[in-house]
Amino acid sequence: MPVNIAELNRQFAIPGIAEVITGSGGLAAVRITAPDAKGTLYLHGGHVTSWTPAGNDDVLWISGKSIWQPDKPIRGGVPICFPWFGARRNDPASPAHGFARLRTWELESIEQKAGAVTVTVFLTSDPDIQKTWPHDFLLRHKVTFGKELIMSLEFKNTAPQNRTRSVSEGLQDQSVKFEEAQHTYFAVGDVRQVKVKGLAGARYLDKTDNLKQKEQTGDLAITAETDRPFFDTAAPIILEDPSKSRKITLTKEGSRSTVVWNPWIAKARAMADFGDDEWPRMLCIETCNVGVDAVKVAPGQTQLMASYLRVDPL
Ligand code: TA6
């Protein structure tokens, strides 16, 4: 259904602070120009594409080759991966990283508090979604653009609670199991010079080495294609970027997994929506619950996962 930008502005715009615009590819986006930060959130995928705290460059990276179409994910920013991560098990034809980043989310509210602005968007189950994922849910993404970037992803199982009966009565449990990720693309000066702190001792699966289970020793440096889901990692992570003289602190809430990814040369070249020479200027550090950390939510219950990003001089 087409987005009525004029109507959304009538309901939600804050003059000089927040406006719904026609963004890249004609996709609707909320543009924030608040005292503490600038930023952009596309209704396509509930997708944050930019966060520029006052006095800084943009903290998020977007590919110059990104495709801006309703049937394609935006390359960069913070894709929302839901309800599966990567390829869907036993259904490789399904869209990678789930359907949420390919849907148009609805705008719920835009609120200013002091120098920051919070934008809330949501996605609900509908007959089309339920053809491939037969569950009742509300997924709300609440994003505060301020001195910090706060992204809060709340899932609610909206199945009627009285439909849950014991399995012995032949009716299936209405609990829902899913994976989720805020697949954040950070902008860096040169990925070959960065250090990722906070993952030492954590176990991970090395997706560049036949998913071998390994343990991270010390800080993580990027010296080749890197694709590592880490498990049982809830502590804050620091991305030190000497070429931009800054460090970014990622504090997570409700997230047990962390994925670190850089495609390096060959993989970047193989992606049509990723410039061949762009890989040195990005690194993904993803707040998520994937694999063994997938979450299960009973009817009427909620699951909250959040990322808090802060930038400091290095
Ligand atoms: O998060 C790392 C990863 O799973 C990589 O394996 C790579 O596939 C990346 O996500 C990007 O996925 P996408 O579907 O957005 O191209």
Side-chain angles (χ1 to χ4, degrees):
M1 184 174 70
V3 174
N4 184 332
I5 288 178
E7 176 56 25
L8 289 178
N9 276 317
R10 193 190 61 74
Q11 287 186 56
F12 300 108
I14 304 173
I17 299 291
E19 179 188 10
V20 182
I21 61 168
T22 301
S24 300
L27 298 172
V30 180
R31 180 172 59 193
I32 304 299
T33 50
D36 291 349
K38 291 182 170 49
T40 308
L41 183 153
Y42 276 76
L43 300 187
H44 176 52
H47 198 129
V48 177
T49 56
S50 171
W51 171 54
T52 308
N56 275 285
D57 297 338
D58 205 329
V59 178
L60 304 179
W61 175 88
I62 286 278
S63 170
K65 297 278 189 183
S66 180
I67 299 168
W68 301 85
Q69 288 173 199
D71 62 342
K72 298 286 184 193
I74 297 167
R75 175 66 69 188
V78 186
I80 299 295
C81 304
F82 174 89
W84 58 83
F85 187 82
R88 188 178 191 182
R89 282 157 200 59
N90 61 50
D91 183 4
S94 287
H97 291 326
F99 51 73
R101 66 178 183 169
L102 299 174
R103 294 280 164 159
T104 302
W105 292 44
E106 291 188 57
L107 184 52
E108 179 175 304
S109 65
I110 302 178
E111 298 162 307
Q112 179 179 7
K113 190 171 180 183
V117 172
T118 299
V119 181
T120 302
V121 292
F122 66 93
L123 179 69
T124 56
S125 43
D126 63 32
D128 188 43
I129 284 177
Q130 289 177 325
K131 283 180 200 155
T132 59
W133 205 64
H135 301 292
D136 301 308
F137 70 89
L138 167 66
L139 191 63
R140 179 177 278 121
H141 200 201
K142 189 172 180 178
V143 181
T144 297
F145 296 90
K147 292 190 173 87
E148 275 196 338
L149 179 68
I150 303 172
M151 299 182 287
S152 173
L153 187 66
E154 183 186 71
F155 170 91
K156 180 168 186 174
N157 182 340
T158 54
Q161 297 180 49
N162 59 12
R163 260 187 12 215
T164 304
R165 300 198 189 107
S166 72
V167 174
S168 63
E169 291 179 66
L171 281 168
Q172 63 180 2
D173 173 6
Q174 296 292 323
S175 293
V176 180
K177 186 172 181 183
F178 59 89
E179 296 173 299
E180 57 183 347
Q182 292 162 327
H183 192 299
T184 306
Y185 286 74
F186 290 97
V188 298
D190 182 347
V191 77
R192 292 161 292 198
Q193 296 181 34
V194 308
K195 285 278 182 295
V196 179
K197 296 174 172 295
L199 293 168
R203 61 188 168 83
Y204 65 92
L205 298 179
D206 189 342
K207 290 173 72 172
T208 68
D209 187 9
N210 300 314
L211 287 175
K212 276 186 194 150
Q213 179 166 308
K214 300 179 180 177
E215 180 177 312
Q216 179 61 36
T217 50
D219 297 343
L220 172 51
I222 308 296
T223 58
E225 179 189 351
T226 304
D227 196 346
R228 302 182 182 182
F230 290 85
F231 299 100
D232 197 17
T233 50
I237 292 163
I238 293 177
L239 170 56
E240 288 189 349
D241 181 1
S243 50
K244 277 185 176 281
S245 305
R246 71 183 184 188
K247 65 177 180 179
I248 298 164
T249 302
L250 165 61
T251 302
K252 307 193 303 168
E253 182 184 349
S255 159
R256 306 288 307 160
S257 317
T258 308
V259 174
V260 178
W261 178 60
N262 180 281
W264 210 252
I265 301 163
K267 279 284 171 65
R269 191 171 292 140
M271 292 183 280
D273 62 346
F274 200 117
D276 292 356
D277 60 353
E278 292 184 320
W279 59 270
R281 290 190 296 283
M282 57 69 65
L283 181 65
C284 285
I285 304 177
E286 305 157 33
T287 300
C288 51
N289 289 301
V290 300
V292 293
D293 291 327
V295 291
K296 189 172 181 181
V297 179
Q301 300 305 301
T302 60
Q303 150 70 16
L304 179 76
M305 180 178 78
S307 299
Y308 300 77
L309 304 185
R310 198 186 72 236
V311 183
D312 295 292
L314 185 59

